[in-house]
Amino acid sequence: NAGVTQTPKFRVLKTGQSMTLLCAQDMNHEYMYWYRQDPGMGLRLIHYSVGEGTTAKGEVPDGYNVSRLKKQNFLLGLESAAPSQTSVYFCASSLRLAGLYEQFFGPGTRLTVL
Amino acid sequence: KQEVTQIPAALSVPEGENLVLNCSFTDSAIYNLQWFRQDPGKGLTSLLLIQSSQREQTSGRLNASLDKSSGRSTLYIAASQPGDSATYLCAPGGKLIFGQGTELSVKP
């Protein structure tokens, strides 16, 4: 049981490049989330999904897109990376809404945009 | 909008001390509250989940309390150890918003 895994662990992009971050969970959780963590700003929710085929915007969704084609996977895409997107990205999952159920986190992806 | 404040922002104590970390939130309409630990360069690890119907939850040397009416939660760490050094974050449930954390350093 691997829990929540994220790929890649590190990435360096140039401004304007695109990339996709992959999150996978093997706990059969319905809900999945993408956060970014920045010094002085804490964790902020980017997008989340309440089930396969559904996505919703969080607090800071601009510049990101997501897809949940399979229940176990949640993808975060950057279409045209900007230096302001330099951050550590965390994926999380929970059985149902995190307000009711425990939330589990992945190890993070450290992204640098030059 | 839910606002979460954690006090203190940083704390340094000698090994063996008992300590209290505080979390306050503005919207008391929460289902539960979760405490996490984050080691440098790592993800978040769940420590305790307190349901809104509970007032306390214990796990080993950790004890968390929740007072919804006053918008407060505390995390009590007994007999602190150097291995407890990490950042501790709270997350009032339902709003997907986190506090900025308390950075704890326990000196041998």
Side-chain angles (χ1 to χ4, degrees), chain A residues 56-75:
Chain A
K57 294 180 180 180
E59 183 183 355
V60 288
D62 294 341
Y64 305 95
N65 57 75
V66 287
S67 64
R68 183 98 181 267
L69 298 180
K70 293 182 178 181
K71 185 177 182 179
Q72 63 268 32
N73 295 338
F74 195 28
L75 279 67

Side-chain angles (χ1 to χ4, degrees), chain B residues 8-79:
Chain B
L11 183 62
S12 182
V13 300
E15 182 177 2
E17 274 203 9
N18 301 324
L19 52 97
V20 175
L21 308 182
N22 297 291
C23 171
S24 61
F25 45 94
T26 55
D27 185 350
S28 62
I30 63 171
Y31 298 109
N32 62 27
L33 186 141
Q34 194 168 0
W35 280 94
F36 294 87
R37 168 189 173 132
Q38 185 175 27
D39 293 289
K42 304 292 186 183
L44 279 69
T45 300
S46 178
L47 295 174
L48 290 164
L49 176 71
I50 315 174
Q51 302 289 351
S52 60
S53 57
Q54 298 174 307
R55 292 193 65 85
E56 286 191 5
Q57 186 72 264
T58 298
S59 176
R61 294 182 293 108
L62 305 179
N63 176 276
S65 65
L66 175 62
D67 185 345
K68 279 183 56 177
S69 61
S70 67
R72 293 180 183 178
S73 178
T74 60
L75 179 66
Y76 175 83
I77 303 177

Side-chain angles (χ1 to χ4, degrees), chain A residues 33 35 37 40-41 43 45 59 90 98-103 105-107 110, chain B residues 1 31-32 34 36 38 41-44 46 49 51 89 93-94 96 98 100:
Chain A
Y33 317 82
Y35 294 89
Q37 187 176 39
M41 301 295 292
L43 274 162
L45 182 67
E59 183 183 355
F90 289 101
L100 296 172
Y101 293 86
E102 196 172 4
Q103 202 173 25
F105 278 77
R110 189 173 297 273
Chain B
K1 179 184 175 183
Y31 298 109
N32 62 27
Q34 194 168 0
F36 294 87
Q38 185 175 27
K42 304 292 186 183
L44 279 69
S46 178
L49 176 71
Q51 302 289 351
L89 298 99
L96 302 176
F98 288 73
Q100 293 212 17

